[in-house]
């Protein structure tokens, strides 16, 4: 019943908080956030997977240098798509194979937290993301690829997301006469920023650096509650 579920998930949240509080995570609802090392946003989230009624503890990894929506820093809008079992080293498992919550909490405390503590650079972040999910069509990888100087890999991600024909159309379109600041402002206004991202990458290192710094500054405004001073 509802009262039992409230009590159950409240106690789960208290237990997880005990595991992660010493490591700088800040709680919002059923989500815990921290910005770690050089701009690594880490999220721990718990809840029930509806289709199979399985209780899961999951982890989210993102770059503060990438374009993140403001809702990412809220409990309902935060995304944590890697289960602790996957972070523990097991292959992707369907939710109905999830072990008991206490076992997942033990995994979180004993193995996942030390692993998260080791992900403190954009390179470590990128290595972790690509090991957990080898697919290219993941927009979260654009930021760390650019931060690591791997512009061609960032373009490949965009190409996989929008498709080869749209990608070629953007690359062949006439370039606008605008400053880097004007280009960044336009990308910030666009509902789907992939066209502008390609233009930024094609502009060269200075434009990419400006883009990364602008993303970080905007994300930091939303992440003040989970950033260490």
């Amino acid at each position: 019943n509802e009262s039992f579920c409230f009590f159950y998930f409240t106690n789960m949240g208290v237990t997880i908080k005990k595991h992660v509080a010493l490591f700088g995570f800040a709680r919002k609802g059923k989500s815990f956030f921290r910005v770690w090392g050089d701009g690594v946003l880490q999220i721990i989230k718990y809840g029930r997977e509806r289709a199979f009624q399985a209780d899961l503890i999951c982890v989210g990894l993102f770059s503060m240098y990438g374009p993140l929506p403001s809702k990412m820093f809220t409990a309902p809008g935060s995304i944590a798509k890697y289960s602790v079992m996957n972070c523990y080293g097991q292959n992707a498992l369907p939710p109905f194979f999830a072990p008991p919550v206490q076992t997942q909490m033990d995994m979180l405390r004993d193995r996942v937290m030390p692993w998260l503590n080791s992900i403190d650079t954009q390179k470590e972040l990128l290595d972790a993301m690509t090991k957990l999910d080898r697919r290219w069509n993941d927009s979260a990888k654009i930021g760390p690829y650019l931060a690591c100087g791997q512009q061609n890999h960032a373009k490949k991600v965009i190409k996989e997301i929008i498709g080869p024909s749209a990608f070629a159309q953007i690359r062949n379109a006439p370039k606008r006469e605008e400053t880097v600041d004007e280009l960044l402002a336009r990308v910030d206004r666009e509902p789907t920023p992939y066209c502008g991202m390609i233009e930024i990458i094609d502009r060269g290192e200075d434009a990419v650096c400006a883009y990364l710094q602008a993303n970080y500054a905007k994300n930091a405004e939303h992440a003040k509650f989970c950033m260490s001073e």
Side-chain angles (χ1 to χ4, degrees):
N1 59 37
E2 290 185 5
S3 60
F4 172 78
C5 288
F6 176 78
F7 175 80
Y8 177 77
F9 284 114
T10 298
N11 279 284
M12 189 191 297
V14 170
T15 304
I16 294 175
K17 184 177 180 179
K18 289 179 181 178
H19 289 339
V20 304
L22 296 177
F23 298 99
F25 280 84
R27 182 178 182 179
K28 280 190 176 182
K30 296 178 182 178
S31 300
F32 298 81
F33 305 78
R34 76 172 175 182
V35 176
W36 190 244
D38 179 21
V40 179
L41 174 63
Q42 301 178 347
I43 301 171
I44 297 172
K45 194 168 186 175
Y46 66 93
R48 175 157 293 182
E49 201 283 331
R50 293 183 180 179
F52 300 102
Q53 294 296 297
D55 300 324
L56 295 174
I57 302 174
C58 297
V59 171
L61 295 171
F62 299 91
S63 172
M64 291 285 285
Y65 294 101
L68 300 176
S70 58
K71 66 181 181 180
M72 183 67 74
F73 301 92
T74 68
S78 58
I79 297 175
K81 65 179 183 178
Y82 311 119
S83 74
V84 291
M85 293 85 74
N86 302 144
C87 300
Y88 197 77
Q90 298 180 9
N91 294 327
L93 295 171
F96 52 80
F97 282 128
V101 169
Q102 185 57 55
T103 302
Q104 295 182 55
M105 288 183 178
D106 292 342
M107 290 178 172
L108 175 66
R109 181 193 63 230
D110 298 337
R111 291 285 295 274
V112 176
M113 278 309 307
W115 173 72
L116 288 175
N117 289 339
S118 73
I119 305 173
D120 58 359
T121 68
Q122 293 298 300
K123 183 182 182 304
E124 292 288 346
L125 169 62
L126 193 53
D127 288 345
M129 294 174 76
T130 52
K131 286 177 182 177
L132 289 167
D133 186 352
R134 296 186 180 278
R135 293 174 295 180
W136 282 95
N137 60 340
D138 182 358
S139 61
K141 293 175 183 173
I142 296 173
Y145 271 131
L146 291 177
C148 292
Q150 299 182 38
Q151 284 86 345
N152 287 335
H153 284 62
K155 284 194 229 181
K156 185 171 181 179
V157 172
I158 297 171
K159 187 175 181 179
E160 288 292 322
I161 293 173
I162 66 176
S165 60
F167 183 83
Q169 188 176 12
I170 294 170
R171 294 296 304 276
N172 295 329
K175 298 299 182 283
R176 306 188 192 191
E177 293 294 332
E178 55 189 351
T179 66
V180 171
D181 289 341
E182 290 170 339
L183 173 57
L184 295 180
R186 173 162 61 84
V187 172
D188 196 45
R189 293 192 303 268
E190 291 177 346
T192 53
Y194 299 114
C195 175
M197 287 181 187
I198 295 171
E199 293 182 57
I200 289 170
I201 296 170
D202 287 343
R203 281 285 189 100
E205 186 177 342
D206 289 344
V208 169
C209 287
Y211 176 64
L212 295 175
Q213 293 301 324
N215 284 335
Y216 190 97
K218 183 167 62 173
N219 293 330
E221 285 297 311
H222 301 299
K224 288 179 179 178
F225 72 98
C226 62
M227 296 181 73
S228 58
E229 298 180 359

